Amino acid sequence: MKRMMQNLGMILLILMLLMSVVGCSTQAEESENLAGVYEGTVKGYHGDITAKTKLDAEGRIVDVQIKGDAETKGSGQIALEKIGERILVAQSLKVDVVSGATVSSYGAIDAVAKSLEQAGLNSFDYNYAERAVEEDYPLPEIDKSTMPVALETRTSVTITDVKGREVVINLPISSYAISTMDVIEYVIPLKGEKAFDMLVGSGQDGGHGLNKYAELYTPVVGDYMTHVGQISDHNAPFDLEMILSMNPDVLIVNSAMGAHKYAMEIEDQLTAAGIKIVLIDVPGKALEHSAQQTMTLLGKIFGEETRASEVSSFLDEQYELIAEKELEKREDKPTVYYEKSGYSEVFGSTSTSAKGWGSVIRLAGGDNIADPLLMNTAASGGSNNTLDPEYVIDANPDFIIVSGINDGWLSITNDHKESKFDIVNRVGWADLKAIQNHDLYEFAHSTSRQIYAFYPTLKAAKLFYPEEFETLDPEAVLEEFFDRFMLLDTNISTWFTSLDDC
């Protein structure tokens, strides 16, 4: 019995040794299976991006080769090389994208992830992260066959932009790109439906303007978005690769959201590609003139100087209605507080008379309570200034003007929501003169930097001085402008909301 137990123990030991050898053999085979070159392919800008990733037996990345022969020359190709190098050094797919070549960079990372999956590995073990897609705001794929036909240039024009840069532009231009979609409001009066036919690129804004404009104008002008690339995210650097891919004759850049700075960062590359940059500034430091200056400049670029003059004359007439009253000389100016996107618990930003909505208040004859604190400081032209709540209460303004709270620009594209101003629930606000007298009003936020800035200026002037502007009808003026110069009518937007509307 004892011998049998010894033999049984010996047999179990042998079996355990055999299993250990088999296990080691299996692990070795698995390690050997990892050594090799694995390939993964994804879709890039113009074609496939393919990554060939070489692994050692333990799954360590020893070489990465990424190819995409159809990617944009320069930025796109460089991105593929740099992403491969960064992944190799980091042994990770969590690497920085190459500035100006975001899409190709992500395409390269995705291709390497697929190659690792071909090896039977989990790409997430290499810190791969799928990027969230805004399903609520999809953009159609670009179809290069729908791009504007290149016209033969016959002459040229030299223009001076708002930064004093002399830019020579060959005419006629065939295509253009803009920093954000609201800039097209300055092109529509000049070119009508062709403003959309010629557009090949636009940046995105915080209100998803690319999507909103597409929803609004596609039924009128056709599916223009098939030849419009997104050239930047909201308040972000330009995507150089996308701009080069769409190859506009001119990139028109407004000053909002740091776009001038971002444009100058890629000026050399665009110049080398024959793409001209033109800088505009609306609302600028002189709201009463900036739109007209922009129209004059764009009239030269688009070969529509006569039409630009007609638009500018209309705008001049509206601002002259206010200027002739000499409101700046009055000693009985109403005090005004402006705030953007505020709500009960948090005060939003304000603006001085130097820029934006502060300019509207200044022209309309309001005494901006932010000026004594901020006007003579380095922050006077900024858009992120806030006022101490106690200061606002002590100032006890006659009027409160807000923007960015309720339905606003292009509100026709949204599910309409009931207007409300929960800022009235702030401590001490119920006793403010503006609230007591129901002089709390909201304008569609982006209109201060659009060609329509004359409307909130006229409207505010009538609110501040109802007797002086008794015969003025700002809504009728706005209607006339749309009838004469725009493709749609004024129902596209909620232009104005009052506390009484809530």
Side-chain angles (χ1 to χ4, degrees):
M1 185 68 178
K2 184 177 181 181
R3 179 177 293 275
M4 287 179 63
M5 293 296 294
Q6 289 176 339
N7 290 339
L8 182 59
M10 183 66 69
I11 292 171
L12 290 173
L13 179 61
I14 292 172
L15 288 173
M16 290 176 64
L17 289 172
L18 287 173
M19 290 176 66
S20 175
V21 170
V22 171
C24 291
S25 175
T26 302
Q27 291 176 9
E29 289 174 4
E30 288 177 352
S31 297
E32 289 174 5
N33 288 339
L34 286 179
V37 178
Y38 300 90
E39 186 173 302
T41 300
V42 299
K43 185 176 181 180
Y45 255 124
H46 312 296
D48 291 341
I49 295 177
T50 299
K52 293 183 178 180
T53 305
K54 185 176 182 180
L55 303 176
D56 66 12
E58 285 75 34
R60 181 179 174 82
I61 300 171
V62 295
D63 188 40
V64 180
Q65 297 295 324
I66 307 174
K67 299 293 182 183
D69 294 336
E71 290 306 284
T72 310
K73 300 298 181 184
S75 58
Q77 296 287 356
I78 291 172
L80 302 187
E81 297 173 8
K82 287 188 174 181
I83 291 298
E85 294 170 358
R86 292 174 184 180
I87 289 175
L88 180 61
V89 171
Q91 290 294 302
S92 169
L93 300 185
K94 188 178 181 180
V95 295
D96 292 334
V97 298
V98 177
S99 178
T102 304
V103 173
S104 287
S105 295
Y106 283 135
I109 294 170
D110 292 344
V112 175
K114 283 199 173 292
S115 70
L116 294 174
E117 291 167 3
Q118 289 297 313
L121 297 169
N122 188 337
S123 58
F124 293 96
D125 291 339
Y126 292 79
N127 301 312
Y128 175 66
E130 291 182 335
R131 286 163 298 286
V133 178
E134 291 186 291
E135 297 294 346
D136 292 338
Y137 301 96
L139 295 174
E141 290 189 11
I142 295 170
D143 180 358
K144 286 296 185 76
S145 68
T146 66
M147 295 282 286
V149 176
L151 303 174
E152 181 180 355
T153 57
R154 299 185 297 272
T155 185
S156 65
V157 63
T158 301
I159 60 98
T160 303
D161 70 11
V162 295
K163 292 296 185 181
R165 301 166 58 254
E166 289 193 348
V167 184
V168 179
I169 298 174
N170 294 324
L171 299 179
I173 66 169
S174 307
S175 61
Y176 71 103
I178 48 183
S179 52
T180 49
M181 275 302 297
D182 55 4
V183 175
I184 205 169
E185 305 290 340
Y186 291 87
V187 186
I188 293 173
L190 301 177
K191 302 301 294 185
E193 291 187 13
K194 288 185 178 179
F196 294 90
D197 296 337
M198 300 171 66
L199 183 67
V200 296
S202 173
Q204 184 66 285
D205 60 42
H208 297 281
L210 272 166
N211 313 81
K212 286 188 175 182
Y213 276 83
E215 182 178 344
L216 197 60
Y217 281 95
T218 295
V220 178
V221 303
D223 193 9
Y224 68 93
M225 283 301 295
T226 59
H227 55 75
V228 176
Q230 181 178 329
I231 61 174
S232 72
D233 291 326
H234 171 53
N235 200 18
F238 285 105
D239 185 340
L240 174 62
E241 184 177 22
M242 177 59 90
I243 298 174
L244 294 175
S245 171
M246 304 311 291
N247 193 30
D249 294 325
V250 183
L251 171 61
I252 302 167
V253 181
N254 193 19
S255 55
M257 296 174 289
H260 280 183
K261 176 178 75 72
Y262 294 135
M264 292 298 93
E265 290 176 352
I266 58 173
E267 181 182 21
D268 291 344
Q269 295 94 321
L270 294 187
T271 299
I275 300 172
K276 304 302 176 68
I277 299 176
V278 174
L279 305 179
I280 63 174
D281 186 16
V282 282
K285 295 180 180 179
L287 177 64
E288 62 270 41
H289 302 300
S290 61
Q292 296 90 307
Q293 293 168 348
T294 298
M295 291 307 302
T296 299
L297 186 151
L298 295 182
K300 295 178 180 179
I301 293 174
F302 287 92
E304 299 287 352
E305 293 182 70
T306 300
R307 183 67 166 173
S309 179
E310 293 176 15
V311 178
S312 295
S313 294
F314 181 93
L315 299 178
D316 283 335
E317 291 172 7
Q318 311 319 314
Y319 290 110
E320 181 59 29
L321 290 174
I322 297 176
E324 65 187 12
K325 301 292 185 180
E326 297 185 323
L327 301 177
E328 71 279 0
K329 296 180 180 180
R330 296 186 66 128
E331 297 182 356
D332 61 343
K333 292 181 180 180
T335 54
V336 185
Y337 170 62
Y338 165 73
E339 184 176 334
K340 174 186 179 294
S341 302
Y343 53 96
S344 183
E345 294 83 4
V346 176
F347 272 63
S349 60
T350 192
S351 176
T352 70
S353 296
K355 200 170 185 181
W357 281 100
S359 295
V360 172
I361 293 169
R362 170 181 59 81
L363 288 176
D367 183 6
N368 191 335
I369 69 170
D371 286 351
L373 287 182
L374 301 172
M375 192 61 178
N376 295 318
T377 70
S380 63
S383 58
N384 295 313
N385 301 304
T386 57
L387 294 182
D388 187 296
E390 291 296 328
Y391 177 81
V392 177
I393 292 175
D394 290 341
N396 195 15
D398 298 303
F399 290 86
I400 298 174
I401 303 295
V402 298
S403 65
I405 294 177
N406 293 295
D407 282 335
W409 181 239
L410 300 188
S411 58
I412 194 173
T413 63
N414 299 332
D415 292 331
H416 185 70
K417 60 185 180 183
E418 184 178 350
S419 297
K420 65 178 181 178
F421 295 104
D422 70 346
I423 57 177
V424 301
N425 298 318
R426 291 170 173 168
V427 175
W429 271 50
D431 298 324
L432 293 178
K433 283 185 291 185
I435 305 301
Q436 289 282 316
N437 298 328
H438 283 216
D439 284 323
L440 167 60
Y441 307 99
E442 177 171 21
F443 291 98
H445 175 65
S446 64
T447 51
S448 71
R449 68 170 182 261
Q450 291 177 337
I451 199 168
Y452 316 110
F454 65 86
Y455 168 74
T457 306
L458 295 176
K459 187 72 173 179
K462 183 160 186 172
L463 292 171
F464 299 163
Y465 304 99
E467 293 181 359
E468 291 279 2
F469 296 96
E470 183 179 2
T471 61
L472 175 63
D473 187 346
E475 282 71 28
V477 176
L478 186 64
E479 291 279 359
E480 181 184 355
F481 183 84
F482 269 78
D483 288 343
R484 291 178 59 181
F485 303 115
M486 306 308 293
L487 294 174
L488 303 175
D489 57 36
T490 59
N491 71 356
I492 61 176
S493 192
T494 301
W495 299 87
F496 176 79
T497 306
S498 71
L499 185 58
D500 290 334
D501 295 328
C502 299

